[in-house]
Amino acid sequence: MMTQRKMKAQPPLSDAYLQGMPAKRRKTGQGSAGLLSLTDAVNQAVRTTGVRPITSAEGLQDDLETNDTKEAYSEQVKADIKKRVREDPDFDSQQFPNAHRAFSSDFQ
């Protein structure tokens, strides 16, 4: 019992790991600390840092819901994944054929 009390708490699961889980298990497994949408993440960051948006909170919410913002976020995520796949020495196209196919234009 003493050994168990001294153990550190398990860190939260990574977003990548959680995305691979079924939706129901993601919801029940994480409790209240589940995945955040882009809007929720920005709102939480605004509250945590204490900064005030130039516009109202509703204006910030509206700006985050625009297709331009969502597209820019999506493109940035794709660019980050492409860079990681290109530069990560542990990436094996045999082990991850779908990632290789999705980003094959960068490998030629």
Side-chain angles (χ1 to χ4, degrees):
M1 286 181 9
M2 292 301 288
T3 303
Q4 289 178 344
R5 286 186 188 152
K6 292 179 183 178
M7 290 175 61
K8 294 181 182 178
Q10 179 179 353
L13 302 173
S14 71
D15 290 341
Y17 181 84
L18 290 172
Q19 287 297 332
M21 298 172 88
K24 185 173 183 178
R25 185 157 181 219
R26 268 197 312 261
K27 290 177 187 175
T28 59
Q30 283 295 299
S32 62
L35 296 174
L36 297 175
S37 68
L38 175 62
T39 304
D40 293 339
V42 170
N43 286 333
Q44 182 179 359
V46 167
R47 282 192 307 273
T48 302
T49 59
V51 298
R52 296 187 188 268
I54 296 172
T55 62
S56 66
E58 294 80 23
L60 176 62
Q61 185 83 13
D62 292 341
D63 290 342
L64 291 171
E65 292 296 325
T66 64
N67 284 337
D68 292 340
T69 304
K70 289 179 181 180
E71 284 180 31
Y73 179 72
S74 178
E75 290 301 318
Q76 183 62 49
V77 168
K78 287 177 186 176
D80 291 346
I81 292 171
K82 286 179 183 181
K83 180 180 177 190
R84 175 81 186 265
V85 166
R86 234 183 297 120
E87 296 176 2
D88 191 345
D90 294 330
F91 177 74
D92 179 14
S93 62
Q94 300 285 330
Q95 186 176 5
F96 305 105
N98 290 337
H100 180 69
R101 279 192 294 273
F103 303 107
S104 62
S105 63
D106 290 340
F107 291 93
Q108 297 171 356

